[in-house]
Amino acid sequence: EAGVTQSPTHLIKTRGQQATLRCSPISGHTSVYWYQQALGLGLQFLLWYDEGEERNRGNFPPRFSGRQFPNYSSELNVNALELEDSALYLCASSEAGAILPSVYEQYFGPGTRLTVT
Amino acid sequence: KQEVTQIPAALSVPEGENLVLNCSFTDSAIYNLQWFRQDPGKGLTSLLLIQSSQREQTSGRLNASLDKSSGRSTLYIAASQPGDSATYLCAALIGGAQKLVFGQGTRLTINP
């Protein structure tokens, strides 16, 4: 069974540009989560999508947005990039998170490393 | 606000030793607790998940316990091997919000 996949592996952008990161969940999973792992700040929850809807977002500015497509894959967009947006962005997926939130594990992808210069 | 703390931040032990990694959380109203492993520059590998109604879970040489009343979880690694060297993270699931709150991790080094 294929795991969570993310693309691209690495992304280099200039301050002020926009970045788009992509995630494909495990087959059968309907929930997708985005986390940011910035140096020195640990892993921070960004966004949760389930069945095409944004269910929850973490304490991040509106520059961070995303969407979930009908095939449950997801996109994270970061507008007006700032230097401190440089981080490893991790995507995770789980089964039916909106229905039984406690039961299902979140499985993580390999991440996209975003570097803003 | 849920806060998760891991002690120690780093640990170096010789191969073959049994060891314990600690995780504490401030709000006992968690749905579950997960332990992950992260190799340098890589994503997370889920090791064990303990539901809030459970006390412990085991997988091979790993055993994780959960004590909600005291706000603590431990990860026990038996007969450590150099391949166990990685950063170990614990994360508490906040129900409803469906978000994992992570500790800062314990960087483990097993010396041959």
Side-chain angles (χ1 to χ4, degrees), chain B residues 16-88:
Chain B
E17 280 202 4
N18 303 324
L19 55 98
V20 175
L21 306 181
N22 297 296
C23 172
S24 62
F25 45 94
T26 55
D27 188 342
S28 62
I30 63 171
Y31 273 51
N32 65 45
L33 190 131
Q34 276 187 260
W35 282 92
F36 296 90
R37 168 188 173 136
Q38 185 174 33
D39 293 289
K42 305 293 186 182
L44 305 182
T45 300
S46 180
L47 298 173
L48 290 164
L49 178 145
I50 312 175
Q51 301 291 352
S52 62
S53 58
Q54 297 174 321
R55 298 283 291 185
E56 65 178 308
Q57 282 286 340
T58 299
S59 176
R61 295 182 295 108
L62 305 179
N63 175 276
S65 67
L66 176 64
D67 184 343
K68 284 182 58 179
S69 62
S70 66
R72 298 175 68 175
S73 177
T74 60
L75 178 67
Y76 175 82
I77 303 176
S80 58
Q81 304 170 357
D84 294 331
S85 297
T87 295
Y88 289 80

Side-chain angles (χ1 to χ4, degrees), chain A residues 15-16 19 96 117:
Chain A
R15 191 169 52 185
T117 62

Side-chain angles (χ1 to χ4, degrees), chain B residues 12-16 82 85 109-112:
Chain B
S12 180
V13 300
E15 180 178 3
S85 297
T109 302
I110 308 298
N111 302 303

Side-chain angles (χ1 to χ4, degrees), chain A:
Chain A
E1 176 183 289
V4 177
T5 59
Q6 293 186 244
S7 63
T9 304
H10 294 93
L11 190 57
I12 300 174
K13 293 286 186 178
T14 303
R15 191 169 52 185
Q17 287 187 318
Q18 177 194 39
T20 298
L21 290 64
R22 296 180 177 83
C23 172
S24 292
I26 291 171
S27 178
H29 287 189
T30 62
S31 276
V32 171
Y33 314 83
W34 288 94
Y35 292 85
Q36 182 198 64
Q37 188 174 34
L39 198 62
L41 293 179
L43 269 153
Q44 305 285 328
F45 169 79
L46 253 171
L47 289 160
W48 167 33
Y49 291 95
D50 186 80
E51 295 286 358
E53 293 187 19
E54 181 181 301
R55 301 287 183 166
N56 192 28
R57 66 181 291 128
N59 188 25
F60 283 84
R63 301 187 294 107
F64 289 82
S65 65
R67 52 180 172 166
Q68 186 178 34
F69 300 99
N71 66 355
Y72 303 113
S73 66
S74 176
E75 208 172 73
L76 173 68
N77 295 294
V78 187
N79 295 318
L81 285 165
E82 300 178 3
L83 295 177
E84 53 263 35
D85 296 333
S86 294
L88 181 66
Y89 289 84
L90 294 169
C91 171
S93 73
S94 77
E95 300 177 65
I99 300 175
L100 291 170
S102 69
V103 175
Y104 302 113
E105 286 181 69
Q106 294 186 21
Y107 293 88
F108 283 75
T112 292
R113 182 161 298 283
L114 173 64
T115 303
V116 182
T117 62

